[in-house]
Amino acid sequence: MILLAFDTAQGALSAALFEADGEGEPVLLSHFFEVRSRGHAERLLPVLEEVLAEAGTGFADLDALAVTVGPGTFTGLRVGLSAARGIALARKLPCVGVTTLEAVAAPVELHGNERLAVSFDARREEVYFQIFEQNQGAVTEPALFPLEIAAENAAQHKAAAKLFLAGTGAPLLAERLLPLGVETLPAETRPEPDARAVGKIAIRRIRAQGLDAFRVPPAPLYIRAPDAKLPGGLTLEEAQAQGRIRG
């Protein structure tokens, strides 16, 4: 199986190409990563073509895709998901959705009761936030919290174990945890999602569930509602409540 994974959801652009058989460790054929806050739409397709060319393959050789579904920026998510859906439809490929939070958590090895708090800076003194345990098990659901609430939540999971922090929101969270008397450790993982982790997660899921389980394109994980308002200054929810639009 040849799988192409990519991410444009946060502040980076990355792609990775894997070859995997039924069991062993997937083989990384090529990889690209760069920190990028804008311009994902212009760079994504050239990067994918470069990653494929480096391995001597093309889109026709792919068996599956994987893409991040959020949380992230609305523009970044649209770029990645639109590209994934287009390629999947054109080549009739299954596509696995992976959250940005679990992609950052995946490379971190935890032991016993150790916990990992992954967070992304969502601006406005808020963070996207999730707690993980060993083997990348999710302890909490993905959420958008004010920094103070995220810190209190993380402190509750400290117990007698070590608490690791990862993601672009880690420095902000560490500052809020100090007054609570909670010491933290930086996790050895990129603060932005890396397509290598996205691909490995996707391969595990395909092995467990089969390719046919991923024939429907993944949906975006939107935790924060769009800032845009409709005519009259109404939000989408307000307009729906007043019967001005359906949805």
Side-chain angles (χ1 to χ4, degrees), residues 103-219:
V104 169
V108 182
E109 186 175 348
L110 300 174
H111 304 278
N113 292 325
E114 294 176 345
R115 294 290 184 269
L116 170 67
V118 180
S119 60
F120 295 122
D121 184 359
R123 312 297 181 183
R124 308 177 192 171
E125 294 292 299
E126 294 178 322
V127 288
Y128 297 114
F129 176 86
Q130 191 171 17
I131 297 283
F132 295 88
E133 59 185 357
Q134 62 180 340
N135 299 320
Q136 294 80 49
V139 178
T140 65
E141 295 296 320
L144 175 67
F145 286 146
L147 277 165
E148 291 75 12
I149 301 301
E152 292 173 4
N153 191 300
Q156 293 174 3
H157 292 275
K158 172 62 169 67
K162 294 178 181 178
L163 178 62
F164 293 87
L165 301 182
T168 60
L172 302 173
L173 198 56
E175 290 179 5
R176 298 310 196 282
L177 283 165
L178 280 177
L180 300 179
V182 177
E183 295 184 3
T184 60
L185 295 168
E188 294 185 5
T189 182
R190 290 186 187 273
E192 304 283 0
D194 190 318
R196 289 177 296 186
V198 176
K200 288 182 178 180
I201 293 171
I203 290 168
R204 286 201 302 269
R205 290 178 179 167
I206 289 172
R207 285 172 171 171
Q209 302 177 50
L211 288 170
D212 287 340
F214 303 98
R215 295 295 178 183
V216 177

Side-chain angles (χ1 to χ4, degrees), residues 224-235:
R224 169 184 283 166
D227 294 330
K229 293 196 173 185
L230 299 169
L234 298 176
T235 65

